[in-house]
């Protein structure tokens, strides 16, 4: 009997000193490429270098060919470019950019709210709500954005509802994105380990509170990058603004084109602006992903 | 505020002092509990009663239903039939009353399940604040006391991922204790730990047992079981095959199943 008596530590202090300072430092997040592929060997590196060289030269040749073609057809003539030196040109494009950002922001918020509600339906414990949620999600994902826009431009006004132009573009774009947002949110919620819910249940928390305090905050961190990627699509969808006569970047670019008769040049500049916006959004998404990688 | 015995930190008595209350009604009682996982009959007419202050350890081969039984006590697992009572009160299948009874039973999981997005301190205060409606400041003060008790108060501002497994599990114990539970369930609390971290968790549990906490522990740590248990239960194929005091359990196993099980442990 006596040999079974354990030596009892004087207090928990023992446990403390044993692992003091032994806490694992937060590991540097591994990039997807590092995690999935083995690092290239010398032969692969050589082959990669050759392929890179060939494709870069090919790209350079292609660009030169395009410029040459523009030169031959006279697109590089000064009259097609000098108006970019005018302040009014940029002011007008800037107004359009503001319109794009406004419409995209409004559509983004609407899409998130609608997507969130649809997700709640999808994950509901009631079968009817689940079925309704699934139906709406499939509907909004399946119908082309332009169809929703025509609906808001042509059908809705006929029923006597007067909407400002920005709502006519932001609402249909948002509806179109909401289904995807709902599915992204749902995947995030499903990715939260079940143990998190079980621990909260064992503390006596109820389902609604668990979702608000434990599950959703974690899910949101997982999916922030995917949500921002969806915002890029929303930004691009707002180029349909010309349908409803909302002055976004694309619409104003069209006006400039008809004024200066410089289609290639103005679309080129407009494209660069869109690329910059979306590049910026992607940078934000990468930064957010890196940061949440260390805290979760 | 009433001072609970395990927050006072006195530690001179032997582990198995006379903390078991024979006269009080059982803290946990399971009557005729049955459960299937599809075709598999995982709990077969289980009857279990845990007295106040009693430490019950459940052992058995994997797949015997011991974890399921442990999780059944606070209804994290649904059951097909049978009844569960906490201090004589029937535990309903859902609703506010179920949540209220769950809050009186602490639970420690194999995979810690600390809230990943909250700091260590917030992990310990969230229960008292959100469930018991305690004031944040009060809850924080007590949480720091508990974290000190389990030796991780210096990590209070970190998030769980920054702590070692042993530290995380000790925080999980503190999180449960913050609710002032009537009993605590441990579902293989050291199975996910590196060997050198097992003892720091077992030490905390030993201390709790000595201070009179009612505990149900599923574990593979036989030396620990022998040391802290008032009663050891052997489960196999969804049945409670044998239960006894630690000495009798290890020295005089009655059933062949238990003899085989103990022999397989010795071979390791």
């Amino acid at each position: 009997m006596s040999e079974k008596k354990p030596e009892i530590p004087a207090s928990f202090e023992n446990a403390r000193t044993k692992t003091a300072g032994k806490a694992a430092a937060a590991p540097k997040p591994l990039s997807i490429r590092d995690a999935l592929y083995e690092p290239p060997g010398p032969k692969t590196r050589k082959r990669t270098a050759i392929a890179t060289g060939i494709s870069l030269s090919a790209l350079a040749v292609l660009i030169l060919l395009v410029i040459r073609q523009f030169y031959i057809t006279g697109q590089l003539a000064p009259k097609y470019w000098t108006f970019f030196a005018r302040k009014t040109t940029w002011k007008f494009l800037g107004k359009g950019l503001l319109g794009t950002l406004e419409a995209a922001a409004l559509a983004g918020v609407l899409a998130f709210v609608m997507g969130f509600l649809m997700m709640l339906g999808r994950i509901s414990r009631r079968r009817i709500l689940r079925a309704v949620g699934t139906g709406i999600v499939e509907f909004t994902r399946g119908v082309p954005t332009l169809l929703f826009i025509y609906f808001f431009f042509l059908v809705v006004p006929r029923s006597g509802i007067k909407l400002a132009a920005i709502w006519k573009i932001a609402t249909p774009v948002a509806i179109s994105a909401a289904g995807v947002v709902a599915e992204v949110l749902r995947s995030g919620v499903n990715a939260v380990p079940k143990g998190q819910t079980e621990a909260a249940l064992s503390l006596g928390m109820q389902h609604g509170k668990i979702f608000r305090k434990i599950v959703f905050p974690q899910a949101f961190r997982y999916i922030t990058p995917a949500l921002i990627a969806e915002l890029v699509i929303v930004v691009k969808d707002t180029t349909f603004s010309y349908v409803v006569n909302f002055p976004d970047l694309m619409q104003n670019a069209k006006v400039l084109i008809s004024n200066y008769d410089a289609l290639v040049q103005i679309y080129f500049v407009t494209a660069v602006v869109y690329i910059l916006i979306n590049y910026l959004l992607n940078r934000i998404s990468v930064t957010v992903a890196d940061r949440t990688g260390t805290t979760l | 505020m009433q001072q609970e015995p395990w927050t006072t930190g006195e530690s001179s008595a032997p582990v198995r002092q006379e903390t078991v209350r024979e006269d009080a009604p059982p803290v946990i009682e399971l009557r005729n509990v049955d459960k299937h996982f599809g075709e598999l009959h995982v709990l077969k007419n289980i009857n279990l009663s845990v007295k106040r202050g009693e430490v019950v350890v459940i052992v058995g081969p994997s797949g015997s239903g011991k974890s399921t039984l442990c999780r059944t006590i606070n209804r994290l697992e649904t059951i097909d039939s049978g009844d569960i009572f906490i201090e004589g009160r029937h535990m309903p299948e859902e609703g506010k009353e179920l949540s209220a009874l769950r809050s009186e039973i602490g639970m420690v999981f194999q995979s810690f399940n600390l809230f990943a997005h909250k700091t260590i301190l917030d992990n310990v205060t969230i229960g008292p604040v959100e469930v018991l409606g305690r004031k944040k400041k009060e809850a924080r003060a007590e949480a720091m006391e508990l974290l000190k008790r389990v030796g991780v108060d210096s990590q209070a501002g970190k998030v769980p991922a920054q702590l070692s497994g042993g530290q995380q599990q000790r925080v999980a114990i503190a999180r449960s204790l913050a609710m002032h539970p009537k009993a605590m369930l441990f579902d293989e609390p050291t199975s996910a730990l590196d060997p050198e971290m097992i003892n720091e968790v077992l030490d905390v549990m030993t201390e709790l047992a000595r201070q009179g906490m009612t505990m149900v522990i599923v574990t593979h740590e036989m030396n620990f079981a022998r040391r802290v248990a008032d009663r050891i239960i052997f489960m196999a194929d969804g049945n409670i095959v044998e239960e006894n005091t630690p000495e009798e359990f290890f020295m005089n196993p009655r059933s062949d199943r238990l003899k085989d099980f103990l022999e397989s442990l010795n071979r390791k």
Side-chain angles (χ1 to χ4, degrees), chain A residues 4-24:
Chain A
K4 282 180 223 153
K5 289 274 182 230
E7 323 151 14
I8 296 151
S11 79
F12 296 145
E13 296 294 320
N14 287 18
R16 178 180 352 189
T17 46
K18 256 182 256 170
T19 48
K22 218 176 160 188

Side-chain angles (χ1 to χ4, degrees), chain A residues 6 8 10 12 19 196 198, chain B residues 11 71 149 200 207 210 227:
Chain A
I8 296 151
F12 296 145
T19 48
Q196 297 285 308
E198 289 183 347
Chain B
S11 54
R71 291 160 53 82
R149 193 69 60 217
E200 66 190 49
E207 188 65 28
R210 181 172 47 210
R227 215 163 65 209

Side-chain angles (χ1 to χ4, degrees), chain A residues 4 6 8 10 12 16 18-19 22-24 195-196 198-199 201-206 209 213 218, chain B residues 11 71 96 99 102-103 113-117 130 149 151 153 162 170 179 200 204 207 210 227 247:
Chain A
K4 282 180 223 153
I8 296 151
F12 296 145
R16 178 180 352 189
K18 256 182 256 170
T19 48
K22 218 176 160 188
Q196 297 285 308
E198 289 183 347
L201 283 173
S202 79
L203 288 176
M205 289 171 81
Q206 294 191 292
K209 199 169 244 181
K213 300 270 176 186
Q218 292 187 47
Chain B
S11 54
R71 291 160 53 82
K96 271 190 178 158
S99 297
R102 273 179 178 152
S103 74
N113 294 346
L114 292 180
F115 302 129
H117 61 308
E130 295 293 336
R149 193 69 60 217
D153 51 323
Q162 294 172 295
R170 285 184 280 149
M179 299 295 288
E200 66 190 49
V204 171
E207 188 65 28
R210 181 172 47 210
R227 215 163 65 209
E247 296 80 51

Side-chain angles (χ1 to χ4, degrees), chain A residues 31 72 82 88-89 93 115 117 123 125 130 135 157 171 193 203 205 219 221 225 233 239 257:
Chain A
S31 83
I72 290 170
T82 45
T88 49
T89 306
L93 280 178
L117 293 175
I123 64 167
R125 283 185 291 167
R130 269 208 312 273
T171 318
L203 288 176
M205 289 171 81
R221 286 180 201 206
I233 293 172
T239 53
I257 288 168

Side-chain angles (χ1 to χ4, degrees), chain B residues 28 54-59 66-71 73-74 105-111 169-170 172-174 176-177 181 183-191 201-202 204-209 213-220 224 228:
Chain B
I28 296 166
E54 193 177 19
V55 176
V56 174
V57 171
I58 307 175
V59 301
K66 54 192 192 306
S67 256
T68 309
L69 175 60
C70 184
R71 291 160 53 82
I73 293 172
N74 65 359
I105 305 287
M107 176 126 193
V108 175
F109 300 85
Q110 179 177 346
S111 47
Q169 196 59 300
R170 285 184 280 149
I173 293 172
S176 285
L177 288 176
M184 286 192 54
L185 313 174
F186 294 83
D187 184 8
E188 302 203 22
T190 58
S191 296
V201 171
L202 294 184
V204 171
M205 291 169 64
T206 307
E207 188 65 28
L208 275 177
M213 176 60 85
T214 308
M215 296 158 86
V216 174
I217 306 167
V218 175
T219 187
H220 296 287
F224 168 75
V228 302

